[in-house]
Amino acid sequence: MPSACDSLIDDIEDMVSASDPTPHERQSARKTIIPRARKRKEQLLSEELQADSVIPGTQKIWMKTWGCSHNNSDGEYMAGQLAASGYKMTENPSEADLWLLNSCTVKNPAEDHFRNSIKRAQEQQKKVVVAGCVPQAQPRMDYLKGLSIIGVQQIDRVVEVVDEAVKGHSVRLLGQKKDGGRRLGGARLDLPKIRKNPLIEIISINTGCLNACTYCKTKHARGDLASYPIDELVERARQSFQEGVCEIWLTSEDTGAYGRDIGTDLPTLLWRLVEEIPDGAMLRLGMTNPPYILEHLEEMAKILNHPRVYAFLHVPVQSASDSVLMDMKREYCIDDFRRVVDFLKERVPGITIATDIICGFPGETDEDFQETVELVRLYRFPSLFINQFYPRPGTPAAKMEQVPAHVKKQRTKELSQLFHSYNPYDHKIGERQHVLVTEESFDAQYYVAHNKFYEQVLVPKRPEFKGKMIEVDIYEAGKHFLKGRPVDDSKPFTPSIATPLQKGEVSGLTQHTHRLAHTLSLSCTNT
C-alpha cells in the first residue's frame, strides 16, 4: 500500500490495485497456514490494545468549523456520521487522535486561523483531515500537501476519508454530485448529524450561486447554483420537528436564487415549509442578494409577516456606489437595494434588515465611500457587518489596483464609529413581547431568546424557559440586545412536538442505531 504522503488517491476505490490478491487466491493461501501456539493472556491483551489504536472507528476526533451557517450545517452532518460509525467526538483538541478542520475562504483571517490550526495539529503529531471551502477551491496549496480532503459536496463520505487518514493514507474527494448530468445541491439531507444546538436545525436549501462577484472566493469552492428539491427540504424540516427542534435556519450562498435551476422559487418553498412549523416554533431566512429577491417582494412580504417566520432578512449591499458595485459585478444598482429595503419596511412593520459592507474595495474613491456612509446614516441598520477588503488569491479583484492599507483601515474605523453612534432598540423599552428561548449567552448569565424581528432578548436563566416561547416586558436596551422580564401570570409555551435530543446526541438514525449512537456520543459535543 502506498504511503499517504507519496501518492494522491482520488477516491477510496482507487486503493485496490491490480497486484492485490483476489479473494480466490486469499482462500488458497489459507491452506498453507499453520496455526501458532496460543499466547499468554497478558501478551495477547497487550497486542490487542496496540492493534486497537489503528483500527478505524475507535479514535477520538476534535472538529473545528469556521464560517457561515452552511459550513456549520456541513460540520454537524460530518460529526453525526462519525459518531454514528463509532468515533468519539470530543471538545478537547489535545485528547483527540485526529483533527477535522472545516474551513472558510471568505476572508484572509479565517484562512490564516485554518492554516495555523493545521500547523498546530502537525506539531502535536495529530492526524489531520481538512474540509470546507479552502481546500475545495485550492487543493494544491503547499500547506495542504499530503493531507486528506473532504470536498464540500462529499461530506457524506467523511467516515471513509477519516478511516483512511487514521491508517495513514491520504485521500482526496473533491468531485461534484450529479444525477443524470445535472449538478445536485450536495449530500443527502437525511444523513445523521449532531446539532451544535439541539433546538436549532440548519437546512442548506441550495449550494453555489448565479453571481460572479470579483472579490469572492467561495464561488470557486461552491460553484454554480444547485438546489435541493422542495419535497426533500420539507421532509428534512418535518424530521427536525419530530426530534424536538423549535427553530429552523435556512442557509445557502444565496437563498433568493433558490430553485432557478430546478424550475421553482423561494416563495414556493417557504409556503410549503410554513405548513410544517408547529405553533410557537420559528423559521429564519438566510442571506439573499438583491437581484433575486426583487421579483418576489410581494410574496416575501406576506411570508415575513407570517407569525411563525421571523421578520428578518439579511440583504448584503457591500457598497452604496454604483461604480463600485459595477466593479464588484454585483448585478444590481443601489436603487435596487433601496427598493427592496423600502418595500419590505413598508409592508412588514418593524422588520430587521441586516446588511454587509466592504470598505476599501479596489478603485473605491472618497466620494464612493461617502455614499456608503450616507446609506448607513439613512437606514441605521440594527445589524451591520463591516468588512475591510482583503484581496483573495485567484480572484479578479486581487489583480485590480488596491486602495492603500491605511485608507482601508480608516474607512472601516469611520463606518464602525457611525454604526456605534446610534442605539436601534431604545424605543422598545416598555414593550411586551413574545420571545423564543433557544440558547445560553456567552457569559452564561442569561438565556438568549429572539422576538418576532429576530432581535436578541436576554431573559433569566431558568431551566423551564429553554426551548419555550415566553412573554416578557422589555426593561433595558443595549447596542446588540434587549433585556426582558418574564410576565408573572404568563406560562411558557412549548412549541416542540417531541422531546429535544440531548446535546451531542445523533439525529436522523433508525431506532436501533439511534440507541447505539446515543450510548457512544451522549457525553460528546460538536464544536
Side-chain angles (χ1 to χ4, degrees):
M1 188 75 71
S3 156
C5 301
D6 295 336
S7 66
L8 186 69
I9 300 167
D10 290 323
D11 211 333
I12 296 290
E13 288 83 352
D14 296 341
M15 297 191 62
V16 180
S17 74
S19 60
D20 285 350
T22 65
H24 176 71
E25 288 167 339
R26 287 194 190 97
Q27 191 62 38
S28 300
R30 282 182 188 165
K31 294 171 185 174
T32 64
I33 293 173
I34 300 170
R36 279 191 221 159
R38 192 177 295 273
K39 293 185 180 178
R40 286 174 51 207
K41 190 175 180 182
E42 305 85 43
Q43 190 179 351
L44 194 62
L45 183 62
S46 168
E47 287 201 5
E48 280 175 358
L49 289 172
Q50 197 174 353
D52 245 359
S53 65
V54 292
I55 294 175
T58 62
Q59 291 75 18
K60 290 184 178 178
I61 296 175
W62 177 66
M63 182 173 182
K64 172 71 176 173
T65 292
W66 292 267
C68 64
S69 296
H70 195 162
N71 249 26
N72 277 285
S73 176
D74 286 354
E76 291 181 349
Y77 275 123
M78 287 191 281
Q81 292 170 87
L82 290 165
S85 72
Y87 285 102
K88 318 268 188 310
M89 304 305 295
T90 177
E91 288 188 325
N92 185 348
S94 62
E95 74 172 19
D97 302 290
L98 180 144
W99 289 12
L100 175 52
L101 304 173
N102 188 18
S103 62
C104 171
T105 192
V106 172
K107 292 190 266 186
N108 290 24
E111 184 171 348
D112 291 342
H113 286 307
F114 170 62
R115 185 169 51 243
N116 291 337
S117 293
I118 292 173
K119 188 179 176 185
R120 255 196 330 274
Q122 291 168 334
E123 287 169 351
Q124 295 178 37
Q125 297 184 313
K126 306 289 186 184
K127 295 280 198 300
V128 182
V129 172
V130 294
C133 292
V134 172
Q136 179 74 52
Q138 292 178 287
R140 302 195 182 281
M141 293 286 283
D142 281 347
Y143 68 88
L144 298 177
K145 278 183 180 171
L147 297 182
S148 288
I149 295 176
I150 301 162
V152 294
Q153 288 210 311
Q154 301 288 340
I155 60 169
D156 54 340
R157 302 183 69 183
V158 63
V159 174
E160 297 170 72
V161 176
V162 168
D163 282 352
E164 294 307 319
V166 163
K167 291 188 284 188
H169 304 135
S170 178
V171 184
R172 298 189 163 197
L173 302 184
L174 293 161
Q176 303 292 335
K177 291 205 177 297
K178 294 186 177 179
D179 180 17
R182 184 180 70 81
R183 186 165 175 264
L184 299 177
R188 294 191 343 259
L189 293 171
D190 60 352
L191 294 167
K193 71 155 49 174
I194 295 179
R195 296 187 183 95
K196 194 171 181 180
N197 183 337
L199 299 173
I200 297 174
E201 166 71 358
I202 307 171
I203 303 179
S204 166
I205 63 173
N206 57 264
T207 191
C209 69
L210 293 170
N211 291 355
C213 300
T214 55
Y215 56 82
C216 181
K217 191 78 176 172
T218 307
K219 175 81 175 193
H220 295 211
R222 298 277 184 182
D224 290 326
L225 179 70
S227 305
Y228 285 98
I230 286 179
D231 287 345
E232 290 180 23
L233 294 165
V234 170
E235 182 54 39
R236 181 67 204 181
R238 191 179 292 133
Q239 179 195 320
S240 302
F241 290 124
Q242 289 166 355
E243 293 177 337
V245 161
C246 62
E247 185 169 290
I248 283 184
W249 298 355
L250 300 186
T251 183
S252 79
E253 283 65 61
D254 188 350
T255 56
Y258 170 80
R260 285 175 173 250
D261 57 320
I262 57 172
T264 186
D265 56 35
L266 182 61
T268 304
L269 168 65
L270 295 176
W271 285 123
R272 285 283 306 279
L273 285 173
V274 159
E275 294 171 11
E276 301 296 328
I277 303 172
D279 282 341
M282 297 296 286
L283 175 70
R284 190 191 86 173
L285 272 61
M287 185 273 285
T288 177
N289 284 311
Y292 308 112
I293 206 71
L294 272 168
E295 64 192 71
H296 301 310
L297 285 177
E298 289 275 1
E299 284 300 292
M300 290 304 295
K302 292 176 190 171
I303 289 162
L304 290 165
N305 274 312
H306 193 284
R308 295 192 293 276
V309 179
Y310 286 118
F312 167 89
L313 202 59
H314 178 193
V315 189
V317 65
Q318 305 301 9
S319 172
S321 161
D322 283 340
S323 169
V324 173
L325 291 174
M326 190 176 295
D327 288 341
M328 290 178 172
K329 285 199 175 174
R330 288 291 285 166
E331 299 186 12
Y332 59 87
C333 61
I334 195 59
D335 283 347
D336 292 333
F337 176 80
R338 288 173 183 264
R339 190 143 48 100
V340 169
V341 176
D342 292 344
F343 185 94
L344 292 177
K345 277 180 166 288
E346 181 188 339
R347 303 294 184 91
V348 189
I351 187 173
T352 297
I353 300 288
T355 196
D356 299 7
I357 286 170
I358 296 174
C359 294
F361 186 81
E364 182 186 65
T365 65
D366 287 338
E367 292 74 22
D368 294 329
F369 176 66
Q370 285 310 313
E371 289 182 60
T372 300
V373 169
E374 289 308 312
L375 184 82
V376 174
R377 193 168 278 131
L378 173 66
Y379 287 108
R380 295 164 70 90
F381 300 103
S383 185
L384 181 62
F385 304 96
I386 302 168
N387 302 291
Q388 183 175 316
F389 175 74
Y390 290 99
R392 300 296 288 129
T395 60
K399 298 173 186 148
M400 298 177 182
E401 188 174 346
Q402 303 297 307
V403 171
H406 72 278
V407 175
K408 288 193 287 188
K409 193 172 181 182
Q410 177 55 38
R411 288 176 185 171
T412 305
K413 183 180 177 184
E414 183 180 334
L415 201 60
S416 297
Q417 286 173 338
L418 171 59
F419 174 59
H420 287 285
S421 71
Y422 57 84
N423 295 315
Y425 304 131
D426 284 357
H427 65 287
K428 304 226 166 188
I429 294 175
E431 287 185 5
R432 182 162 287 189
Q433 301 179 347
H434 283 92
V435 298
L436 180 60
V437 183
T438 54
E439 52 200 312
E440 191 179 87
S441 62
F442 282 121
D443 63 6
Q445 299 301 303
Y446 299 91
Y447 275 154
V448 177
H450 291 92
N451 59 20
K452 163 69 176 166
F453 311 106
Y454 203 69
E455 294 159 343
Q456 187 171 263
V457 182
L458 303 179
V459 300
K461 196 174 168 184
R462 296 185 201 160
E464 67 269 24
F465 289 166
K466 194 75 175 286
K468 307 290 198 304
M469 183 75 78
I470 65 172
E471 195 173 18
V472 298
D473 289 324
I474 303 300
Y475 67 92
E476 186 180 325
K479 176 65 181 173
H480 301 287
F481 65 88
L482 299 161
K483 283 186 181 176
R485 186 178 292 111
V487 175
D488 287 338
D489 56 352
S490 176
K491 290 185 179 177
F493 178 76
T494 305
S496 301
I497 59 175
T499 304
L501 301 181
Q502 296 292 315
K503 189 168 175 65
E505 193 173 352
V506 183
S507 93
L509 300 180
T510 62
Q511 214 45 43
H512 172 70
T513 52
H514 194 99
R515 280 196 298 271
L516 174 64
H518 180 60
T519 305
L520 290 168
S521 64
L522 189 56
S523 63
C524 310
T525 54
N526 176 27
T527 56

